[in-house]
Amino acid sequence: MIIRSVELETVCGITSRLPENERPEFAFAGKSNVGKSSLINALMNRKSLARTSAQPGKTQTINFYNINGELYYVDLPGYGYAKVPLAEKEKWGKMIENYLHRSRMLKCVFLLVDIRHEPSANDRMMYEWMVHNGFRPVIIATKLDKINRSQIQKQVRLIRTGLGMEKEDLLFPFSAQTKQGREEIWDFIEKMTSGDGQGEEAPKRELESKTEEKQG
């Protein structure tokens, strides 16, 4: 994917109304210290447009990045380890749930997990919630550069088993440092945007009274 232009177009807080976009949206969810902003920056081919921080939980809004005037990357608030009051975390959860159920143009939800560890209770809860609500999240296993090459397949199996993924479900190992995995994620996004994605790759979704057919 050639990134020609990027714009932070819309920022939605707890009381904000979601935009009525007419272009495909790709959402990114993950716990607060998983490297979500670093991934989004890498996919936008920018160094610091999505804010990164040593302090987890900096993303407290839903941020819509317009990519090439053709699609959106949607950065969802992080969950899990952010040092904020429980009530605030619950509000973030409602924001995420509201977006996932109301967006008409959502093509895929990427769920980020740390490749170094077995999925946490928060990871499993988020994954199971998405599946229960009719989504089919694509997993991105971040921090690939932190493990040895010989460990990759073992850790991928650990994540697949820990989340209870189906055999055909997609998982992309990724490193923000080396950019390994970026081309594969870009290729997937391009296929989903163009409608060339295979049926098993498309997220299954049931939004209110409307059921979207799998793309094939």
Side-chain angles (χ1 to χ4, degrees), residues 6 8 10-13 31-42 44 46-63 65 75-78 92:
V6 174
L8 175 55
T10 308
V11 176
C12 291
K31 62 189 179 187
S32 303
N33 60 348
V34 76
K36 183 161 52 66
S37 295
S38 296
L39 165 70
I40 293 173
N41 281 325
M44 294 190 298
R46 299 293 190 274
K47 289 185 177 181
S48 59
L49 188 54
R51 292 180 298 174
T52 59
S53 173
Q55 179 184 356
K58 290 294 285 186
T59 304
Q60 301 180 19
T61 53
I62 300 178
N63 300 331
Y65 295 93
D75 187 5
L76 301 175
W92 293 358

Side-chain angles (χ1 to χ4, degrees), residues 59-100:
T59 304
Q60 301 180 19
T61 53
I62 300 178
N63 300 331
F64 292 78
Y65 295 93
N66 187 324
I67 311 298
N68 295 340
E70 298 172 355
L71 56 93
Y72 291 92
Y73 293 162
V74 183
D75 187 5
L76 301 175
Y79 58 84
Y81 299 125
K83 293 182 179 179
V84 295
L86 179 60
E88 193 72 15
K89 291 183 183 180
E90 290 176 348
K91 290 179 182 178
W92 293 358
K94 290 179 180 178
M95 286 172 60
I96 294 172
E97 183 175 356
N98 183 54
Y99 167 73
L100 293 178

Side-chain angles (χ1 to χ4, degrees), residues 115 139-142 144 152 156 171-175 180-182 185:
I115 198 169
I139 305 303
I140 297 180
T142 62
L144 179 59
I152 295 175
V156 165
L171 184 153
F172 295 109
F174 171 79
S175 167
Q180 185 175 347
R182 181 172 64 178
I185 299 170

Side-chain angles (χ1 to χ4, degrees), residues 181-199:
R182 181 172 64 178
E183 294 292 337
E184 290 82 357
I185 299 170
W186 271 345
D187 287 346
F188 172 77
I189 290 174
E190 284 187 319
K191 287 179 181 178
M192 293 294 295
T193 303
S194 66
D196 292 335
Q198 297 178 1

Side-chain angles (χ1 to χ4, degrees), residues 86-87 92 101-102 124 152 154 167 185 189 208:
L86 179 60
W92 293 358
H101 279 295
R102 291 185 178 275
R124 292 193 297 272
I152 295 175
K154 175 187 174 184
K167 182 179 179 181
I185 299 170
I189 290 174
E208 297 175 350

Side-chain angles (χ1 to χ4, degrees), residues 100-111:
L100 293 178
H101 279 295
R102 291 185 178 275
S103 171
R104 297 182 300 104
M105 299 304 295
L106 180 59
K107 295 298 181 183
C108 179
V109 182
F110 292 104
L111 178 60

Side-chain angles (χ1 to χ4, degrees), residues 112-206:
L112 280 63
V113 299
D114 190 328
I115 198 169
R116 298 174 297 176
H117 309 297
E118 183 178 359
S120 68
N122 281 320
D123 292 329
R124 292 193 297 272
M125 186 181 301
M126 177 62 80
Y127 180 83
E128 290 168 2
W129 182 87
M130 289 181 179
V131 172
H132 176 74
N133 281 274
F135 294 90
R136 200 163 182 177
V138 172
I139 305 303
I140 297 180
T142 62
K143 307 190 180 184
L144 179 59
D145 55 287
K146 303 295 185 182
I147 64 174
N148 295 327
R149 198 181 192 93
S150 60
Q151 296 176 291
I152 295 175
Q153 291 306 314
K154 175 187 174 184
Q155 294 305 114
V156 165
R157 287 195 297 270
L158 186 68
I159 291 170
R160 284 187 171 277
T161 301
L163 293 177
M165 296 175 65
E166 298 293 337
K167 182 179 179 181
E168 66 272 15
D169 289 342
L170 294 178
L171 184 153
F172 295 109
F174 171 79
S175 167
Q177 295 297 318
T178 67
K179 306 302 185 289
Q180 185 175 347
R182 181 172 64 178
E183 294 292 337
E184 290 82 357
I185 299 170
W186 271 345
D187 287 346
F188 172 77
I189 290 174
E190 284 187 319
K191 287 179 181 178
M192 293 294 295
T193 303
S194 66
D196 292 335
Q198 297 178 1
E200 65 268 24
E201 293 178 339
K204 180 183 177 184
R205 301 172 58 214
E206 294 180 1

